[in-house]
Amino acid sequence: MSKQIKVGVIGLGARGSSLLEGIILQTPDVEVVAVCDLYEDRTEHAAKAVERSQGKRPFTSQRYEDVLAIDAIDAIVVCTSWDAHIEITIASMEAGKYVASEVGGAYSIQECWKLVETYERTKVPCMILENCCYGREELMVLNMVKQGVFGEIVHCSGGYMHDLRDEIAYGRENRHYRLDQYMNRNGENYPTHELGPIAKVLDINRGNRMVSLVSIASKARGMQEYIKQNKSNDPELAHAAFKQGDIVTTIIQCARGETITLTLDTTLPRYYSRGFTVRGTKGMFTEENNSIFLDGVHDHNAVWSPEWGNVENFREQYEHPIWKKYFEEGVKAGHGGIDWLVFADFFESVKNQTLPPLDVYDMASWMSISALSEESIALGGQPVTIPDFTNGKWMKR
């Protein structure tokens, strides 16, 4: 492959346009040759941004099939609404294009299997763009786990805890897909932001796997209260009944015996958190107060609060090499720099024609949690089996 990577970007809403302008167009040796969105105005906005940056107007279309038909394109970036991620990723692999997909949850286990089967038949790689796997804290904790600092890991927890009431309520005005999701689905709809880093800690698909889950959902009241206070004159939403529970709790059992708890919390007032927590036989990390506790270093009988926020005390010894290098080169834009890192790895794999670090088996297993949690909730919190998308390869990968 030539040094220059030719890229098509599909999906140009808020996320897609920010990645295009803030990351992709700023990346050396990457040329955007095509942009695509269902809405013509978004496509035109993106085309103008590309022309300003590169001096040449890209191909534009409202049909992703037109972009995939361009022989010169090396890689596709999918930033569409959730329901199209897997469909377009599969089509991209069928077209022989490396593909990176934004995160979200799957709608069925069948589409997850089709994703894996397409890769195994075509051998065209895909990568899930789980940027939180590149978080500074997540990578430092991963480094500590691999060095045995926390002992044997027993339990991890995390989730997506983000007040999205405004984004959901104004979904029609902003042409955002979350509104329909929250009106019609009830499950762990956005599982990968902390499941991704946890999967790395627990060697999921690489010596370990998730085997079953149970999910329960609270009642749905947050959106109704928000609309009553802020959008009561909306004829569609004033009396709407939202299906999505305000708090969804999912507990996952792993083959090696570890447990994972995921929390979805997006329709009640709160601060942002991913709640990343790792518990081992020799210590723990928790994001909620950004603290590390190590057996024999800290006194479990002492008042713990003076030690909160002590992560910086461990930074020099355990900072991950990726972030050490990143600080030397200069941290870039995008969610504190993590967007840049996840795209750098994707483009590096395209350039070198190698497998990406977050692969099709990660994408299928992480995204499957949405469909499985819906099923468990519908069955009153009954256990549901998580498929082995590696077909046994997890034991030796």
Side-chain angles (χ1 to χ4, degrees):
M1 176 178 289
S2 65
K3 188 178 180 182
Q4 192 86 356
I5 300 171
K6 298 186 183 299
V7 174
V9 181
I10 300 173
L12 298 162
R15 181 63 173 157
S17 61
S18 67
L19 288 175
L20 172 67
E21 297 180 43
I23 305 295
I24 301 171
L25 288 174
Q26 308 304 318
T27 304
D29 304 327
V30 171
E31 178 187 358
V32 176
V33 299
V35 291
C36 172
D37 193 275
L38 291 173
Y39 297 104
E40 187 175 0
D41 61 312
R42 290 178 175 174
T43 307
E44 184 61 24
H45 176 87
K48 289 178 179 177
V50 173
E51 190 170 13
R52 285 194 300 271
S53 176
Q54 298 181 168
K56 183 168 61 175
R57 183 178 173 84
F59 172 81
T60 62
S61 178
Q62 277 70 64
R63 298 177 67 254
Y64 73 79
E65 295 90 347
D66 296 338
V67 175
L68 299 183
I70 301 174
D71 290 337
I73 287 180
D74 302 308
I76 297 293
V77 177
V78 180
C79 304
T80 61
S81 58
W82 297 337
D83 59 350
H85 286 173
I86 292 180
E87 172 191 334
I88 298 175
T89 298
I90 288 170
S92 299
M93 289 190 285
E94 295 277 13
K97 317 291 188 188
Y98 266 66
V99 55
S101 172
E102 261 298 339
V103 302
Y107 287 75
S108 71
I109 299 306
Q110 289 84 353
E111 67 175 354
C112 294
W113 275 117
K114 188 175 180 181
L115 182 76
V116 169
E117 289 161 0
T118 302
Y119 165 71
E120 292 182 341
R121 176 169 45 81
T122 64
K123 301 302 181 186
V124 177
C126 73
M127 177 172 171
I128 183 169
L129 291 170
E130 186 37 79
N131 55 5
C132 293
C133 289
Y134 293 81
R136 189 183 182 194
E137 314 301 349
E138 284 88 345
L139 280 176
M140 187 179 88
V141 170
L142 177 63
N143 195 26
M144 296 175 77
V145 167
K146 297 308 179 186
Q147 294 186 45
V149 177
F150 298 118
E152 182 178 354
I153 305 304
V154 173
H155 176 78
C156 295
S157 62
Y160 188 58
M161 293 164 283
H162 187 182
D163 186 344
L164 296 174
R165 292 173 298 166
D166 178 81
E167 180 178 287
I168 297 164
Y170 289 89
R172 294 284 181 262
E173 293 85 345
N174 297 325
R175 298 177 294 187
H176 198 285
Y177 50 87
R178 263 198 173 96
L179 174 58
D180 285 334
Q181 304 294 317
Y182 279 67
M183 293 180 72
N184 294 291
R185 300 178 74 192
N186 186 15
E188 170 47 87
N189 61 40
Y190 208 62
T192 73
H193 265 351
E194 219 46 63
L195 181 56
I198 288 170
K200 292 301 181 182
V201 166
L202 297 180
D203 305 316
I204 300 300
N205 296 329
R206 295 163 180 83
N208 195 8
R209 80 175 188 92
M210 301 179 289
V211 296
S212 66
L213 65 74
V214 294
S215 286
I216 57 172
S218 74
K219 60 186 176 182
R221 294 294 183 270
M223 286 307 304
Q224 292 172 328
E225 179 64 24
Y226 180 85
I227 289 164
K228 182 171 70 175
Q229 297 297 325
N230 297 277
K231 211 176 183 228
S232 58
N233 60 346
D234 187 315
E236 178 189 9
L237 298 184
H239 304 289
F242 286 82
K243 289 189 176 180
Q244 179 62 55
D246 290 324
I247 308 289
V248 175
T249 305
T250 300
I251 303 174
I252 299 169
Q253 182 78 55
C254 298
R256 291 193 315 213
E258 304 96 336
T259 52
I260 302 168
T261 301
L262 298 179
T263 303
L264 179 73
D265 176 359
T266 54
T267 50
L268 296 173
R270 65 162 299 127
Y271 57 83
Y272 179 87
S273 174
R274 297 196 296 274
F276 182 45
T277 299
V278 175
R279 301 294 308 280
T281 57
K282 295 182 179 179
M284 67 175 288
F285 165 84
T286 178
E287 178 195 319
E288 289 296 334
N289 52 36
N290 213 31
S291 302
I292 290 168
F293 184 98
L294 298 180
D295 201 18
V297 175
H298 302 104
D299 183 357
H300 67 274
N301 291 313
V303 177
W304 174 227
S305 55
E307 289 287 340
W308 290 356
N310 66 357
V311 162
E312 294 305 319
N313 299 342
F314 298 86
R315 193 76 73 185
E316 183 177 352
Q317 185 174 0
Y318 295 113
E319 185 86 84
H320 196 282
I322 286 176
W323 272 86
K324 287 182 179 179
K325 182 181 178 184
Y326 201 18
F327 277 115
E328 291 170 3
E329 296 175 347
V331 176
K332 309 295 195 302
H335 285 98
I338 59 178
D339 288 342
W340 184 272
L341 287 174
V342 72
F343 272 91
D345 266 3
F346 173 64
F347 289 135
E348 190 71 15
S349 69
V350 176
K351 187 177 294 186
N352 297 326
Q353 295 291 283
T354 53
L355 293 176
L358 308 177
D359 63 16
V360 68
Y361 303 105
D362 298 321
M363 183 171 176
S365 60
W366 301 352
M367 291 179 69
S368 75
I369 300 304
S370 289
L372 295 169
S373 74
E374 282 188 278
E375 181 181 349
S376 181
I377 289 168
L379 294 171
Q382 288 191 26
V384 175
T385 299
I386 301 173
D388 172 15
F389 293 102
T390 74
N391 283 310
K393 300 183 187 74
W394 64 271
M395 290 180 276
K396 295 188 181 296
R397 288 182 84 224

